[in-house]
Amino acid sequence: MRAAAGSIVVASAIVIAALAPSRASAQVFGAPDEPVQELVAQDAPEELEEPPEESLRPSGALGAHLLIADGLDLGGLVMLDVWAAWQWLRIGGFVGAGAIPSERDASNRVMMPLGISASAEILTESLAVSVRLRAGLWGGATQAEKLTAGPFFGAGCYLGFVLGHGALLNVGADVWGVIGSEAWSDTSGPDAGVSASTWVIAPGVGLSWTPEEGG
């Protein structure tokens, strides 16, 4: 009996001695309270978000113009521009419809200009400045020539007032060149039916829109 009891005591001592270093190490170095996976996740550096890429956005402008043609002929025209906007640049097309009454048959015209347009716009929190360029054709009629067409080109500058949500109120003026058929037709006869070429100053007011960033 004494030998068996002694063997049990010795075995117990060996087990305690084997477990003692592990427990001591845990007390000295401290056991982790959180799973290893959570510690690794906390220590891993956060992935940096890439900045969003600049993309094309729909944009445009609608304006009403007073037309002052040579000889002080007065008229009016409505113009619509539709653009693809990228940063400060807008590229697209335009279409308009208007009339310039005149006592001269070759200058008394209705017209619809159509073509490509581009705009450069600098925008701040409250104001915007834009320069617009246009090139294309105009079709219509004059009192002397019932159906005619010709080149159309021009440029303009506008000051915009920010209304919010990408909308601006624009005030400015364009200068347009309207080339009539007299540039290539014979105008020597008394009954020559031609459309006259003219320069047009076109002050105007209108709205433009560009979706806000991230909108």
Side-chain angles (χ1 to χ4, degrees):
M1 290 292 292
R2 291 180 180 178
S7 299
I8 293 173
V9 171
V10 171
S12 300
I14 293 173
V15 171
I16 293 173
L19 295 177
S22 300
R23 293 179 179 177
S25 299
Q27 291 177 356
V28 172
F29 298 104
D33 296 331
E34 299 178 352
V36 175
Q37 292 84 351
E38 295 183 4
L39 292 177
V40 172
Q42 291 179 357
D43 294 338
E46 297 182 358
E47 295 183 359
L48 298 177
E49 295 184 0
E50 296 183 359
E53 296 183 358
E54 290 286 346
S55 59
L56 294 176
R57 297 166 292 151
S59 180
L62 177 65
H65 298 269
L66 171 67
L67 306 184
I68 306 172
D70 59 345
L72 295 181
D73 294 331
L74 300 180
L77 183 140
V78 176
M79 184 81 77
L80 172 66
D81 292 275
V82 178
W83 299 312
W86 184 76
Q87 295 184 356
W88 52 267
L89 180 63
R90 286 104 174 89
I91 298 178
F94 72 92
V95 63
I100 306 176
S102 175
E103 295 181 355
R104 296 167 295 171
D105 289 347
S107 298
N108 183 14
R109 81 187 74 213
V110 292
M111 56 185 294
M112 178 178 286
L114 174 69
I116 59 174
S117 67
S119 175
E121 182 172 85
I122 300 175
L123 182 66
T124 67
E125 293 183 357
S126 57
L127 294 175
V129 176
S130 63
V131 176
R132 302 174 186 176
L133 301 176
R134 296 187 177 91
L137 299 172
W138 73 276
T142 65
Q143 190 68 29
E145 191 175 16
K146 301 307 180 185
L147 184 62
T148 186
F152 178 95
F153 58 90
C157 186
Y158 287 82
L159 177 65
F161 301 90
V162 177
L163 303 178
H165 302 289
L168 293 92
L169 174 65
N170 299 285
V171 178
D174 286 85
V175 177
W176 299 332
V178 182
I179 308 302
S181 61
E182 69 174 8
W184 57 83
S185 298
D186 182 11
T187 61
S188 58
D191 299 326
V194 295
S195 56
S197 301
T198 183
W199 288 93
V200 180
I201 299 174
V205 60
L207 295 173
S208 65
W209 62 94
T210 297
E212 296 177 304
E213 293 291 345

